[in-house]
Each structure stands twice: as structure tokens, then as C-alpha cells.
């Protein structure tokens, strides 16, 4: 029996979860632990559209994994992760389907959010086994399987990295990802241009981008900016993809891709 996400606040302390009831995702009744910390900024909390996308990852895990497999997708990127909750939910969907094609997930946000993301990953070792951080400060880990944690760095595991990225500030050689996702990332008009620049930089012609938007603060000019930059987009049908309380005109999940030349 599929269990809906229960919207209860979570707190993580010293890599241990509190006694509060955790979130549960999907057919496996998988608990997801995370911390809301508004002291690091608005990204430290869980917004409604993030919950909606997490619910989509949970209830439609077979579809998500099948689509990514059909695209031969091996790399994924989350922009504006905040507290890391959504990336953990994505990892849980891969784990649920025993998907082995995805090789790398890069989780990004501003520097002040990275410790919170790492705490969320550490609190979900039943999904993601943290291997540690390199000298460059990038955290790495692998997807937990039914095998012992000692074997989780096998070739068929997914490598997870946590690193800083400010939208529009591109350094080094271009890096392309097969799947890009994010939620509530276009809530201010001044964020549109740098966000679109990052989407252009990190995507190739077959990249699938999934963005969640709260329509009250994501204005039509954001979608105009996407179109003018060469992207096409479609809003996913609410009745198939959105949890009941998020259906209607308030929230939306959008699939975005570069238009053919």
C-alpha cells in the first residue's frame, strides 16, 4: 500500500534523527529524515512545491527511472537544493527501483546551505552512504543497497557530490548533465536570468529539466526567458502528477528541454 508523505517537521542532530515521526515515501514505506533550518535562509525550509516534487518522485518512481533509462541518463544535478531533502527523495526513487544506470548526482546551493545538505545526507544512510569529503570540500558518497555498507562503492553505485554553485557564475570547462531538477527556484524576478544561464550551461540537447514552481511568485516572464533562451516547456498534468492538495493553479511541475536548432 502506497503511503503519502506526512508533512511533519523534522530535526536532525549529530547525524541522528529526533523522536518525531519521519516522512515516509513510496511503496517501501521509506522514511526520509531532514532538517528545516531557516537561519541559513529561505532555502533551509521545505516549500510546498518541493513537497509536491518529492511526492512525484515517490509515487512515480518507475516512470521517472524508465524515462531516465530511455534517455541513457547517467548524471543528475539539483540546483538550489536548500536542505537536501529533494535529492534524498530522488535517490530513494532510484533505490526503490534498483536503478543502476545513474552514476552521479551533484547537489548544489550557496555555501551557507552546504552543511545542512550534508547533515540531511548523513541522516539518511539507509539510502545514501556518505564516504566523506575531499580536500576540495566536495562531499562524496554512494547509494546504499541491500548489501553491506562496506561494498557500497561498487562500480554500479551512484556517486553523490555536494558543492557550491551560484546561478549564472560559471567557472572552468562546461559540464553537462542528463537530468536537472529543482523546486521553487524562480521565486524572484532577479533570479530568472542567472538561473536560465546555469540551465543553458549545464544542459545538452537531450537534457531533461524538471522544475517545480509556485505560480503565485513565479511569473510568466520566467517562462518567456526560458523560451527566449531556446528552451521549450510543458506543465505536467496535475491529476496524474500532483498530490491532491497541490492541484489547481497554485503549483506546477514543468518539463523543460532545449528546442532543436
Amino acid at each position: 500500500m502506497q503511503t503519502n508523505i506526512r508533512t511533519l517537521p523534522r530535526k536532525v542532530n549529530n547525524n541522528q534523527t529526533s523522536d518525531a515521526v519521519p516522512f515516509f515515501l513510496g511503496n517501501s514505506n521509506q522514511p526520509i529524515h531532514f532538517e528545516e533550518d531557516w537561519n541559513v535562509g529561505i532555502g533551509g525550509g521545505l516549500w510546498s512545491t518541493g513537497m509536491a516534487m518529492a511526492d512525484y518522485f515517490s509515487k512515480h518512481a518507475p516512470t521517472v527511472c524508465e524515462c531516465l533509462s530511455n534517455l541513457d541518463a547517467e548524471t543528475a544535478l539539483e540546483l538550489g537544493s536548500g536542505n537536501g531533502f529533494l535529492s534524498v527523495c530522488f535517490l530513494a526513487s532510484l533505490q526503490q527501483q534498483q536503478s543502476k544506470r545513474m552514476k552521479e548526482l551533484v547537489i548544489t546551493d550557496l555555501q551557507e546551505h552546504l552543511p545542512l545538505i550534508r547533515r540531511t545526507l548523513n541522516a539518511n544512510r539507509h539510502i545514501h552512504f556518505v564516504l566523506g569529503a575531499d580536500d576540495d570540500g566536495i562531499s562524496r558518497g554512494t547509494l546504499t543497497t541491500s548489501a553491506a555498507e562496506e561494498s557500497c562503492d561498487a562500480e554500479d553505485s551512484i556517486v553523490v557530490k555536494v558543492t557550491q554553485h551560484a546561478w549564472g557564475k560559471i567557472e572552468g570547462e562546461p559540464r553537462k548533465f542528463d537530468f536537472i531538477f529543482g523546486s521553487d527556484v524562480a521565486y524572484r524576478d532577479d533570479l530568472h536570468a542567472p538561473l536560465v544561464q546555469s540551465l543553458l550551461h549545464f544542459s545538452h540537447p537531450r537534457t531533461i529539466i524538471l522544475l517545480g514552481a509556485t505560480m503565485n511568485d513565479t511569473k510568466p516572464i520566467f517562462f518567456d526567458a526560458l523560451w527566449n533562451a531556446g528552451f521549450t516547456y510543458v506543465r505536467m498534468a496535475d491529476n496524474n502528477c500532483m498530490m491532491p492538495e497541490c492541484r489547481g493553479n497554485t503549483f506546477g511541475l514543468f518539463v523543460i528541454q532545449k528546442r532543436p536548432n
Side-chain angles (χ1 to χ4, degrees):
M1 179 177 179
Q2 195 168 64
T3 305
N4 290 332
I5 302 174
R6 286 190 257 177
T7 54
L8 297 175
R10 294 295 302 145
K11 190 72 174 176
V12 175
N13 295 301
N14 298 324
N15 298 338
Q16 299 294 324
T17 58
S18 71
D19 294 332
V21 179
F23 285 79
F24 290 91
L25 295 178
N27 294 327
S28 61
N29 209 30
Q30 186 77 278
I32 304 293
H33 307 289
F34 78 100
E35 176 181 355
E36 286 189 306
D37 184 358
W38 295 97
N39 291 325
V40 302
I42 58 176
L46 178 60
W47 291 24
S48 297
T49 310
M51 180 65 67
M53 188 178 291
D55 185 72
Y56 174 73
F57 283 152
S58 169
K59 293 180 179 177
H60 298 273
T63 301
V64 172
C65 292
E66 181 181 1
C67 290
L68 293 177
S69 178
N70 290 340
L71 289 168
D72 296 324
E74 295 186 346
T75 58
L77 169 71
E78 184 183 7
L79 294 174
S81 180
N83 54 32
F85 171 74
L86 199 52
S87 275
V88 172
C89 292
F90 175 63
L91 290 170
S93 71
L94 298 178
Q95 184 195 59
Q96 177 183 325
Q97 296 301 304
Q98 299 182 346
S99 176
K100 297 181 180 180
R101 182 176 294 276
M102 187 65 61
K103 299 301 182 183
E104 182 183 26
L105 168 63
V106 178
I107 310 171
T108 67
D109 210 317
L110 299 177
Q111 182 64 42
E112 55 265 29
H113 290 82
L114 303 190
L116 180 58
I117 296 171
R118 295 185 181 112
R119 290 202 298 272
T120 299
L121 290 172
N122 275 307
N124 290 279
R125 288 175 175 265
H126 56 294
I127 295 172
H128 170 266
F129 179 53
V130 180
L131 298 177
D134 290 349
D135 292 339
D136 57 7
I138 297 178
S139 297
R140 286 176 168 83
T142 60
L143 192 65
T144 303
T145 65
S146 58
E149 287 184 345
E150 288 78 3
S151 64
C152 285
D153 57 351
E155 291 184 0
D156 60 359
S157 66
I158 179 173
V159 175
V160 180
K161 301 177 183 178
V162 179
T163 188
Q164 178 182 6
H165 173 63
W167 303 334
K169 296 184 179 180
I170 310 301
E171 299 178 356
E173 294 296 322
R175 175 72 196 280
K176 305 299 182 181
F177 293 86
D178 303 315
F179 178 52
I180 300 173
F181 62 99
S183 177
D184 292 293
V185 290
Y187 56 91
R188 287 202 325 256
D189 295 357
D190 62 303
L191 297 176
H192 297 172
L195 175 58
V196 170
Q197 186 176 350
S198 287
L199 293 176
L200 282 169
H201 177 80
F202 290 123
S203 62
H204 55 70
R206 299 187 70 228
T207 299
I208 294 296
I209 302 168
L210 181 64
L211 293 186
T214 303
M215 305 310 293
N216 290 338
D217 55 38
T218 302
K219 299 176 182 177
I221 57 173
F222 171 65
F223 299 98
D224 292 341
L226 284 173
W227 183 265
N228 292 335
F231 290 102
T232 186
Y233 59 88
V234 61
R235 181 175 178 177
M236 301 175 70
D238 284 359
N239 58 336
N240 291 327
C241 303
M242 297 288 280
M243 53 205 302
E245 55 267 41
C246 291
R247 293 173 186 169
N249 296 322
T250 304
F251 306 103
L253 298 180
F254 292 83
V255 178
I256 303 165
Q257 196 169 25
K258 287 181 174 176
R259 297 197 304 272
N261 294 327

